[in-house]
């Protein structure tokens, strides 16, 4: 049965999961391609002989696991980020201090330095803003502190290392700009998400009955007008129920308005559970409800009403026991308006009340 439900951040989460799978898949192919090219040129850093297959395994397994369990996105993001950040950190230290794990030439240095900002980008895409700021700050500190230490101990093994040091120093001192820009983008994104969520909440509030959680009169009226026009255009039957709780005033007088509200909520839940997914249930006002049955002939609608009465006879309402209701049924005519169709159903409801209640009557 149709019901207005806010999407909140579900669509964003699903989008992130899809993008993450695409990213991990392309990352695997990128690493394989880089490994193949460097192998052809006999130019593979010693650390990459271990790092490449390790990252291929981590990224490949993560993509497969995310495909099987989409709800594991958060864990996959943390694992992916930690793997990539660790690789960049170890490579940078090996480059800076001239360790044998890293081939200190133009290709290797340029390749590494161009990938370092991706650590910050990954952090702000994969992590919450607070965590992204923390890990970005820690990663930046892990680059800058060795550069400063390198300067003070004046460890210069050769001319190449000196040039690498100067290059690394200039590049890394520009990294706070990346962090600040990404932080600004992340904050803007957060604001947009909040605005979108608030807009969805307002839309739900404008179309949902605050007590029962089903659609309100405004949305039900709009739906009825739209479906009636569609029925005329596509030549199908549209039937409506106008339903009213029997002796509801006695419920309020005997048990109080709180229990009366509870009865309204329970009846809405009962109808929600027993109507079809294509039907639209709305609260028209007070103890009166409307059910819109698209593409439904009169005979089918009557069978549905009979089923509702049968199941309601077994339904127990809190502190009240059994509650009955009457229904007026009307099927659309070619010349009907939403108002005329409702009035015919409402007249049938009145007839059902006159004929003893706990029954339905059909509009002539």
């Amino acid at each position: 049965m149709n019901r207005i439900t806010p999407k909140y951040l579900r669509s964003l989460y699903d989008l992130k999961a899809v993008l993450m799978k695409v990213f991990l898949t392309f990352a695997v192919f990128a690493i394989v391609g880089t490994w193949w090219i460097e192998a052809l040129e006999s130019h593979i850093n010693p650390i990459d002989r271990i790092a490449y297959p390790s990252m291929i395994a981590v990224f490949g397994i993560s993509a497969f696991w995310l495909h099987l369990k989409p709800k594991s996105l958060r864990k996959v993001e943390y694992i992916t980020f930690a793997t990539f950040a660790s690789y960049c950190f170890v490579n940078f230290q090996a480059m800076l201090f001239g360790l044998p794990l890293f081939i200190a030439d133009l290709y290797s240095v340029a390749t590494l330095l161009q990938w370092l900002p991706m650590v910050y980008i990954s952090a702000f895409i994969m992590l919450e803003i607070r965590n992204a700021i923390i890990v970005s700050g820690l990663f930046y500190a892990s680059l800058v502190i060795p550069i400063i230490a390198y300067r003070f101990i004046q460890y210069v093994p050769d001319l190449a290392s000196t040039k690498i040091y100067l290059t690394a120093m200039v590049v890394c001192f520009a990294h706070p700009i990346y962090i600040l820009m990404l932080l600004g983008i992340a904050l803007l994104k957060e604001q947009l998400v909040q605005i979108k969520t608030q807009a969805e909440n307002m839309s739900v509030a404008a179309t949902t009955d605050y007590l029962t959680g089903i659609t309100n009169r405004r949305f039900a009226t709009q739906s009825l007008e739209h479906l009636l026009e569609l029925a005329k255009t596509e030549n199908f039957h549209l039937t409506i129920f106008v339903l009213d709780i029997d002796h509801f005033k006695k419920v309020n007088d005997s048990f109080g308005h709180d229990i009366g509200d509870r009865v309204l909520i329970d009846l809405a839940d009962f109808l929600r559970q027993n109507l079809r997914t294509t039907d639209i249930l709305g609260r028209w006002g007070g103890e009166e409800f409307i059910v819109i049955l698209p593409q439904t002939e009169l005979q089918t609608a009557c069978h549905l009403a009979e089923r509702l009465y049968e199941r309601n006879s077994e339904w127990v309402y809190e502190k009240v026991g059994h509650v009955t209701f009457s229904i007026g049924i009307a099927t659309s005519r070619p010349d009907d308006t939403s108002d005329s169709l409702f009035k015919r159903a409402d007249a049938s409801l009145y007839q059902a009340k006159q004929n003893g209640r706990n029954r339905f009557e059909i509009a002539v």
Side-chain angles (χ1 to χ4, degrees):
M1 208 222 55
N2 290 344
R3 187 184 181 190
I4 301 299
T5 304
K7 294 181 181 178
Y8 296 109
L9 303 180
R10 182 176 178 181
S11 59
L12 180 61
Y13 183 93
D14 293 341
L15 177 60
K16 283 189 70 177
V18 172
L19 292 177
M20 194 65 189
K21 285 187 285 186
V22 172
F23 164 76
L24 290 170
T25 303
F26 274 88
V28 169
F29 283 110
I31 295 170
V32 170
T34 302
W35 194 1
W36 177 65
I37 292 172
E38 290 180 352
L40 290 178
E41 298 296 327
S42 299
H43 190 292
I44 301 180
N45 280 312
I47 191 174
D48 289 337
R49 298 182 187 277
I50 300 174
Y52 284 166
S54 299
M55 287 194 293
I56 289 172
V58 171
F59 294 166
I61 292 173
S62 295
F64 181 70
W65 184 254
L66 187 58
H67 177 72
L68 293 178
K69 297 185 177 294
K71 292 184 179 180
S72 64
L73 174 63
R74 184 60 54 82
K75 291 181 180 178
V76 169
E77 287 178 328
Y78 275 97
I79 292 171
T80 301
F81 175 78
T83 301
F84 180 61
S86 299
Y87 170 75
C88 291
F89 170 78
V90 173
N91 261 299
F92 185 83
Q93 306 307 320
M95 175 195 74
L96 187 63
F97 291 102
L99 301 180
L101 295 173
F102 189 86
I103 301 174
D105 60 10
L106 178 62
Y107 168 78
S108 297
V109 172
T111 301
L112 174 61
L113 293 180
Q114 77 172 354
W115 284 112
L116 290 180
M118 281 297 298
V119 175
Y120 310 122
I121 296 173
S122 301
F124 280 95
I125 290 177
M126 299 179 185
L127 311 178
E128 299 91 344
I129 293 180
R130 180 176 177 274
N131 291 339
I133 294 172
I134 292 172
V135 298
S136 295
L138 291 174
F139 183 77
Y140 180 66
S142 73
L143 302 184
V144 173
I145 291 174
I147 289 176
I148 295 173
Y150 185 102
R151 179 72 173 178
F152 277 102
I153 64 176
Q154 295 183 342
Y155 170 69
V156 184
D158 52 42
L159 182 60
S161 293
T162 303
K163 292 180 178 180
I164 290 173
Y165 165 76
L166 293 174
T167 303
M169 180 174 64
V170 172
V171 170
C172 286
F173 283 158
H175 281 196
I177 298 175
Y178 291 118
I179 297 175
L180 290 174
M181 291 181 66
L182 289 167
L183 175 59
I185 293 171
L187 291 173
L188 285 173
K189 182 199 76 173
E190 189 176 65
Q191 285 293 107
L192 290 173
V193 169
Q194 290 178 358
I195 291 171
K196 185 174 184 295
T197 301
Q198 290 172 359
E200 289 180 349
N201 288 338
M202 291 176 65
S203 175
V204 170
T207 58
T208 304
D209 178 62
Y210 75 97
L211 178 64
T212 60
I214 61 178
T215 58
N216 60 14
R217 180 168 179 165
R218 175 187 177 188
F219 184 82
T221 301
Q222 292 173 347
S223 299
L224 179 58
E225 291 173 350
H226 170 72
L227 289 171
L228 186 57
E229 288 301 316
L230 198 63
K232 293 176 181 178
T233 303
E234 300 187 7
N235 195 29
F236 63 74
H237 294 281
L238 176 70
T239 302
I240 66 170
F241 291 169
V242 177
L243 181 151
D244 189 89
I245 300 175
D246 296 329
H247 303 297
F248 185 69
K249 185 177 183 300
K250 289 184 179 180
V251 173
N252 280 331
D253 293 342
S254 302
F255 299 96
H257 289 281
D258 288 343
I259 298 301
D261 288 347
R262 186 69 254 175
V263 169
L264 292 172
I265 294 170
D266 287 347
L267 177 60
D269 289 340
F270 166 78
L271 293 172
R272 244 195 315 255
Q273 293 176 29
N274 290 282
L275 291 171
R276 303 167 303 181
T277 56
T278 54
D279 300 332
I280 298 174
L281 170 64
R283 184 181 176 197
W284 198 253
E287 68 272 24
E288 194 170 61
F289 296 80
I290 184 172
V291 181
I292 305 172
L293 311 172
Q295 299 185 3
T296 303
E297 297 180 352
L298 180 59
Q299 184 178 5
T300 303
C302 290
H303 288 322
L304 178 57
E306 289 169 355
R307 188 178 68 181
L308 289 177
Y309 281 115
E310 179 183 347
R311 294 182 179 178
N312 186 61
S313 65
E314 303 171 354
W315 190 272
V316 179
Y317 294 82
E318 182 181 345
K319 294 188 177 181
V320 178
H322 293 288
V323 173
T324 63
F325 50 78
S326 301
I327 300 176
I329 303 176
T331 299
S332 63
R333 299 170 177 170
D335 59 342
D336 260 328
T337 63
S338 60
D339 187 54
S340 66
L341 177 61
F342 181 86
K343 284 182 177 179
R344 289 196 294 112
D346 195 44
S348 297
L349 171 63
Y350 178 78
Q351 191 64 41
K353 294 282 190 181
Q354 293 294 107
N355 290 340
R357 296 182 172 85
N358 194 27
R359 59 181 291 137
F360 68 85
E361 292 291 343
I362 303 168
V364 179

